[in-house]
Amino acid sequence: MTIEESFYIGYITKTKGLKGEVQVYFECDDYEELEFESVFIEINKKLIPYFISSYKIHPNSTGYFYFEDIDIIEKAAKLLKKKLYLPLSKKPERTNDEFYYTDLKGFIAYDEKLGELGEILDVHEYPQQFIAVVAYQSNEIMFPLNDDLIISIDEEAKTLHVDLPDGLTDIYLS
């Protein structure tokens, strides 16, 4: 399994108890709809399968998992901060009216003051926040994607209009 054949769901935040239980923080929207028989954990840039013996999902974007062969806290501690993936075949289907920040890749970003910024090259997903990466004046600039900065999104025209804070682009251009 490669990263291209899978999708990111979250990461392991901490251990719980002495019997190898770990807490997972989900960074995907539909985590409650996912089916868990096994997950792939990224270790040294490779995806390693881990079979799940039991789990419990919570409404606060977390879940507690027991993996087969991880039966003591020392083994579980080695998995802290590791990213979790599932095969693309397990990705929940979206309806046509659902739109995610990651769908903005390829859109043209416009700022209220600066005008056209450029194409959104990538959207990075971080805990609690999405960041757009844009090619602007031969430099890559980044800005958060949130309701405070986004003025409008036109899916048909593939444009994103934002109102960036004063001086944000100056950080990247100096």
Side-chain angles (χ1 to χ4, degrees), residues 64-82:
Y64 287 96
F65 287 75
Y66 282 105
F67 298 115
E68 290 180 10
D69 301 324
I70 305 293
D71 52 3
I72 59 173
I73 190 171
E74 289 80 9
K75 289 180 182 177
K78 293 178 182 178
L79 301 176
L80 291 179
K81 306 293 183 222
K82 302 289 187 209

Side-chain angles (χ1 to χ4, degrees), residues 95-139:
T95 61
N96 288 340
D97 61 342
E98 291 181 296
F99 187 84
Y100 297 116
Y101 285 136
T102 52
D103 295 334
L104 291 171
K105 190 173 178 180
F107 278 47
I108 303 297
Y110 293 88
D111 179 61
E112 286 293 288
K113 296 171 214 74
L114 300 171
E116 183 176 327
L117 298 173
E119 181 181 349
I120 298 175
L121 304 173
D122 206 356
V123 176
H124 296 296
E125 190 173 347
Y126 294 108
Q128 315 299 329
Q129 185 164 278
F130 288 86
I131 302 287
V133 179
V134 175
Y136 177 66
Q137 294 183 1
S138 302
N139 292 296

